[in-house]
Amino acid sequence: MNTLLWAPSAWLPQGWAADVRIEVDALGMIASVQAQASADGAERLDGPAIPGMSNVHSHAFQRAMAGLTGTSGPQADHFWSWRACMYRFLERLTPDDIEVIATQLYIEMLQAGYTSVGEFHYLHHDADGAPYADPAETSRRIVQAAAASGIGLTLMPVLYRHGGFGGEEPAEAQRRFICDPDQYARIAQAVAGLERCTLGFAPHSLRAVTPEELNGLLKLRAQLAPTAPVHIHAAEQLGEVDDCVFWSGLRPVEWLMWNAPLDEHWCLVHATQMRELEAAALASRGAVVGLCPSTEADLGDGLFNAEPYRLAGGRIGIGGDSHVGVDPFAELRLFEYGQRLQRRRRNLFASAPQQSVGAALYRAALAGGAQALGQPVGAIAVGRRADLVVLDTRDPALIEQSGDRLFDAAIFGPTRHPVRQVMVSGRWCVREGVHAGAERSIAAYRAVLRRLLV
């Protein structure tokens, strides 16, 4: 039986409309959308409706690390010292822990307005580096966490083979990540057979896979899911760029442009250290850059070279990565503010006079996120999944705001609780700002942290 919803206003592909009636079919897909329609027989929404946001890049287990790396070390702190802390933390994680942490994270995402997530999942083996009896044990735990929370999932098992460019031997601390091609194929094949998730492929980075191994992964993709998303870390750190040039004579994005079949199915995560010509060339391929502003700021990565990329028509999505922040509006604010600080100008993401920067940012991240995750999301439109966020106009920052000013207020204003209701695939996950499973999840999460943080 179809479900009928009625919103006093809704942000449709053509812009804001009033009195919008939305029909959702039994599979959770939008069957019809009608503006200036009657509310008779429909469930009335408690505020303006916008499409839910995609989080294109997640390492769920790192949610439990937030706050653990804020103490300065004896030497300069940077990405590589943070990574050493991460390795120590994950030594104690069990599959049960991974599921509990991921469930808590996904509930937090939903309450913040994310309705789908791309899980870049590389924690495959036990604490000794040995495969579990089921090679996809931890991948299944991620799927179970997504099902428990209700979030839409693209699961990307990660191929992680080496500790550095040119096939360098991995470090002992990386033993839980390392897969040979046969192990990786078994994990990907298992994930391909699972319900409630979309399969993606993730060569970790050019430092972690050789060209031959990257080609092998792409051949496996061609067999299992030829149009599946492909995500890869690229050009996040200056040290990574220098090492890539030493190895190949090319910068990471340059190498991928020359040696990989980059197209609209690819997402390059971070791409922080990208020159203007690289940015324009990447934009021409139709790939998405997965930006993670709060994590990139936390790690001291630097600022994405957005202006030439945007002017060339480049596509972006936003992600949480290590989840020091779980808020799509805050990620977009930090992205725009970083560009303002770099360029010493305001409202940089606007492409026309009198355009709402907040709405332009949100629209770009919606489109790029849907593309990067390979999910039918990102718009309140026929044929898209019924992933809706109802804004809470009781939040002081949103009071008396309407139309595109809602986006400007939610992104650039002092909002605390801008989200009132969240629907994924036609099912309510969040009402009055709270997920139905939040209390149970936080109790389990507390117990995990109590053991891990002793």
Side-chain angles (χ1 to χ4, degrees), residues 62-63 66-67 69 82 294-296 298 320-326 331:
Q62 292 180 18
R63 170 64 184 87
T69 60
W82 173 90
S294 61
T295 290
E296 289 151 7
D298 181 54
D321 197 343
S322 63
H323 308 297
V324 293
V326 187
E331 296 290 347

Side-chain angles (χ1 to χ4, degrees), residues 42-398:
E43 178 183 356
R44 293 172 178 258
L45 307 188
D46 294 325
I50 63 174
M53 181 59 70
S54 296
N55 187 317
V56 302
H57 190 65
S58 168
H59 307 302
F61 76 89
Q62 292 180 18
R63 170 64 184 87
M65 286 179 54
L68 298 184
T69 60
T71 302
S72 61
Q75 298 176 330
D77 285 311
H78 41 63
F79 169 81
W80 309 104
S81 58
W82 173 90
R83 191 175 72 160
C85 177
M86 184 265 286
Y87 289 161
R88 292 192 298 272
F89 178 79
L90 63 82
E91 288 178 354
R92 301 178 64 189
L93 287 178
T94 69
D96 286 345
D97 297 337
I98 292 167
E99 183 175 346
V100 167
I101 295 167
T103 301
Q104 176 61 26
L105 170 66
Y106 295 160
I107 286 174
E108 292 176 6
M109 282 187 186
L110 286 162
Q111 292 178 159
Y114 288 114
T115 51
S116 54
V117 61
E119 188 62 38
F120 196 96
H121 178 60
Y122 56 79
L123 191 54
H124 298 306
H125 306 315
D126 70 16
D128 296 322
Y132 292 101
D134 174 4
E137 171 69 28
T138 58
S139 294
R140 294 182 195 277
R141 297 307 187 101
I142 295 295
V143 174
Q144 288 168 200
S149 69
I151 202 165
L153 174 67
T154 295
L155 178 56
M156 293 167 284
V158 173
L159 179 60
Y160 200 130
R161 288 284 290 142
H162 303 287
F165 290 95
E168 180 180 312
E169 284 298 307
E172 176 65 16
Q174 296 169 320
R175 61 189 179 275
R176 297 197 72 173
F177 313 155
I178 304 303
C179 283
D180 63 37
D182 289 340
Q183 290 172 324
Y184 181 80
R186 287 195 291 273
I187 294 171
Q189 288 163 355
V191 172
L194 297 178
E195 297 180 354
R196 300 184 67 92
C197 77
T198 298
L199 172 65
F201 292 82
H204 178 273
S205 57
L206 291 178
R207 69 175 185 271
V209 297
T210 64
E212 295 76 19
E213 290 158 352
L214 175 59
N215 288 334
L217 177 147
L218 295 176
K219 289 179 181 177
L220 177 66
R221 170 178 175 260
Q223 296 168 8
L224 293 179
T227 61
V230 181
H231 289 214
I232 185 170
H233 291 129
E236 179 180 3
Q237 287 283 323
L238 286 171
E240 173 198 345
V241 174
D242 293 341
D243 289 348
C244 190
V245 171
F246 182 79
W247 164 66
S248 70
L250 297 170
R251 298 162 62 84
V253 175
E254 290 176 328
W255 191 96
L256 288 166
M257 292 289 298
W258 282 99
N259 296 282
L262 297 188
D263 61 15
E264 70 274 14
H265 300 297
W266 283 66
C267 177
L268 274 59
V269 181
H270 303 304
T272 317
Q273 316 301 331
M274 197 165 52
R275 293 174 173 169
E276 289 193 9
L277 288 177
E278 292 176 282
L282 180 61
S284 72
R285 295 291 187 91
V288 174
V289 168
L291 301 168
C292 307
S294 61
T295 290
E296 289 151 7
D298 181 54
L299 297 179
D301 288 343
L303 292 170
F304 177 68
N305 197 0
E307 190 162 54
Y309 185 70
R310 182 183 63 81
L311 291 174
R315 305 171 189 184
I316 64 166
I318 56 167
D321 197 343
S322 63
H323 308 297
V324 293
V326 187
D327 182 340
F329 304 104
E331 296 290 347
L332 293 171
R333 177 173 63 246
L334 186 54
F335 168 61
E336 168 73 17
Y337 279 3
Q339 298 302 309
R340 294 183 188 188
L341 290 167
Q342 186 179 46
R343 303 284 178 177
R344 297 181 176 86
R345 304 199 311 273
R346 295 189 69 249
N347 296 333
L348 289 168
F349 209 80
S351 58
Q354 304 302 311
Q355 182 183 48
S356 160
V357 175
L361 284 165
Y362 200 86
R363 181 180 292 109
L366 278 179
Q371 177 180 323
L373 297 190
Q375 296 186 28
V377 296
I380 301 175
V382 174
R384 301 295 183 100
R385 200 168 68 210
D387 289 10
L388 307 177
V389 168
V390 178
L391 295 175
D392 192 344
T393 53
R394 299 170 301 180
D395 184 291
L398 301 186

